[in-house]
Amino acid sequence: MIGAFEHLVRPLLHALDPEDAHVLTLKLLKFAPVLPVARDDPRLAVRAFGLNFPNPVGMAAGFDKNAEVPDVLLRLGFGFVEVGTITPRPQPGNPRPRVFRLDADGGVINRLGFNSQGADTVLRRLAARADAGGIVGINVGANKDSADRVADYVALIERFASVASYVTVNISSPNTPGLRNLQQATALDDLLARVVDARERVAPNAGPTPVLLKIAPDLSLAELDDVVGIARSRRVDGMIVGNTTLSRPPSLQETKRAREAGGLSGSPLRALATRMLAETYVRVEGVFPLVGAGGIDSGAAALAKIRAGATLVQLYSALVFRGLGLVAEIKSALIGALGRHRLDSLAELVGADAAAVTAEPWPG
Ligand SMILES: Cc1cc2nc3c(=O)[nH]c(=O)nc-3n(C[C@H](O)[C@H](O)[C@H](O)COP(=O)(O)O)c2cc1C
């Protein structure tokens, strides 16, 4: 049914400005009667951060920034949904246009700049669905004009811990000036110390809330050494690798659109993101699990992320080009891979290719 619906609607969405198309998609999802998908094959189940995921395919942050449709997305077959980025106070983000499709490349450039309805509104929505079940992570960020960005993260953890399956500390958006500086060693150590402390403080009431760190794929390997070292010493529960890239691969065909400022995602990001994932995996040494994101546009791409070190995967941009049917396609490809390798769980494939990927020439 989703397939037939999308077949009719996708050409219409593609004719619209990408942000208008997104707003319309959210409206359609809100009102579309979506029946739950069949139960996932038990071999797709993943345990990570103390949570039981029915399958490893998640909706990445940015699609449902204000937690309007997390339960619809879960019913459509995602194993988990990450809402946000949420900022403490509402803010409009950058002027439009601020989202661009690179059709020939299967890429997207966005410079939304954390447009958010703010913590109060989103918290109300999440509190209303708190007993609905399913894994809903909450991605948090700082207001653009905040005087104390670390305090923003701390406040959001305190407020959202009780309604979040996990919280993602997003310090990797390229569209809030200076935000990525929080990835630098001293700043990151201070941030994570305070974030983890906030999590511990609210745990007696909120329960245990895993804290994940989402990084940019544009870090140098020396910076990645620091980031992983600090994430390990501050005992975060996992990392997401990663966000959009400021780089522009020379292979891009849409050279005019590629000059738009903002973060690039989708297929042109895949090689870099997978390389950074493998580099992270070898540094983490199994201490915590990783979520792989960036350019997943097929079952094979999802499997490659898992083999490069991802316990879970997330996607967004490819849904623009391929539609929501991609989720089912990825899950059946993963089941196919398990069958071929005669395995009962994806865990045995996680990181199988990490060393090999890090030995390849740097993707360019
Ligand atoms: C339009 C758009 C908005 C995004 N907004 C956010 C966001 O608010 N917070 C965040 O952490 N990542 C955001 N992302 C990044 C995605 O979560 C993901 O990390 C990245 O796009 C790579 O995955 P993909 O290639 O499958 O899209 C956004 C991506 C896009 C395309």
Side-chain angles (χ1 to χ4, degrees):
M1 198 187 82
I2 301 166
F5 176 74
E6 284 205 315
H7 193 68
L8 294 171
V9 171
R10 203 128 38 82
L12 166 71
L13 293 174
H14 254 76
L16 297 175
D17 159 81
E19 192 167 347
D20 289 338
H22 182 65
V23 171
L24 180 59
T25 302
L26 285 178
K27 279 211 178 93
L28 290 170
L29 286 175
K30 244 191 233 175
F31 298 111
V34 179
L35 302 172
V37 289
R39 233 174 211 292
D40 282 314
D41 187 310
R43 290 172 297 169
L44 288 181
V46 172
R47 187 162 170 83
F49 329 120
L51 302 171
N52 293 314
F53 296 76
N55 74 70
V57 185
M59 173 61 94
F63 180 85
D64 190 9
K65 283 182 185 270
N66 297 299
E68 293 173 275
V69 291
D71 295 297
V72 180
L73 295 170
L74 291 170
R75 283 204 297 280
L76 282 168
F78 284 102
F80 63 113
V81 174
E82 186 165 316
V83 302
T85 295
I86 300 163
T87 57
R89 285 171 289 108
Q91 63 177 30
N94 291 320
R96 291 180 63 168
R98 52 190 183 173
V99 185
F100 307 88
R101 267 193 309 259
L102 281 64
D103 287 314
D105 302 297
V108 174
I109 290 176
N110 92 81
R111 53 169 178 269
L112 287 162
F114 286 173
N115 51 321
S116 172
Q117 292 176 3
D120 290 348
T121 301
V122 180
L123 187 57
R124 256 197 311 278
R125 270 185 209 129
L126 288 168
R129 56 103 28 224
D131 298 327
I135 295 182
V136 178
I138 302 180
N139 180 304
V140 297
N143 277 115
K144 185 181 177 187
D145 61 358
S146 168
D148 183 351
R149 287 189 167 158
V150 175
D152 280 11
Y153 289 94
V154 167
L156 289 167
I157 303 253
E158 288 173 350
R159 294 196 68 189
F160 281 93
S162 63
V163 294
S165 303
Y166 67 86
V167 174
T168 298
V169 175
N170 177 16
I171 47 169
S172 47
S173 166
N175 301 314
T176 295
L179 191 85
R180 284 180 165 201
N181 295 341
L182 287 170
Q183 295 176 128
Q184 286 163 10
T186 318
L188 182 65
D189 191 52
D190 175 54
L191 171 71
L192 291 184
R194 289 175 59 188
V195 157
V196 170
D197 182 57
R199 186 266 305 270
E200 302 305 327
R201 225 173 21 252
V202 297
N205 288 323
T209 309
V211 170
L212 275 51
L213 179 69
K214 184 167 179 179
I215 64 168
D218 300 330
L219 295 173
S220 69
L221 292 181
E223 288 168 329
L224 186 64
D225 288 340
D226 285 348
V227 167
V228 171
I230 294 162
R232 288 178 61 163
S233 75
R234 290 294 172 191
R235 296 177 179 279
V236 306
D237 298 277
M239 284 172 57
I240 304 181
V241 188
N243 218 311
T244 58
T245 180
L246 286 172
S247 68
R248 298 290 184 265
S251 57
L252 286 175
Q253 295 175 51
E254 302 246 13
T255 47
K256 187 156 167 275
R257 286 260 162 90
R259 284 198 289 273
E260 292 290 350
L264 172 68
S265 56
S267 309
L269 166 62
R270 188 174 52 251
L272 174 64
T274 303
R275 176 60 176 264
M276 286 302 282
L277 172 68
E279 297 284 355
T280 307
Y281 182 82
V282 299
R283 286 163 174 76
V284 168
E285 298 175 309
V287 169
F288 49 66
L290 301 177
V291 183
I296 296 177
D297 55 6
S298 65
L303 187 62
K305 287 278 192 227
I306 291 169
R307 297 187 65 102
T311 294
L312 298 160
V313 297
Q314 291 179 324
L315 65 154
Y316 179 173
S317 301
L319 299 171
V320 172
F321 302 99
R322 304 284 322 280
L324 284 156
L326 181 57
V327 179
E329 185 188 315
I330 290 174
K331 291 195 288 187
S332 40
L334 295 179
I335 292 168
L338 288 170
R340 275 197 309 282
H341 294 285
R342 298 183 194 288
L343 295 173
D344 292 331
S345 136
L346 290 164
E348 295 166 69
L349 296 175
V350 174
D353 293 344
V357 171
T358 60
E360 287 168 7
W362 195 261

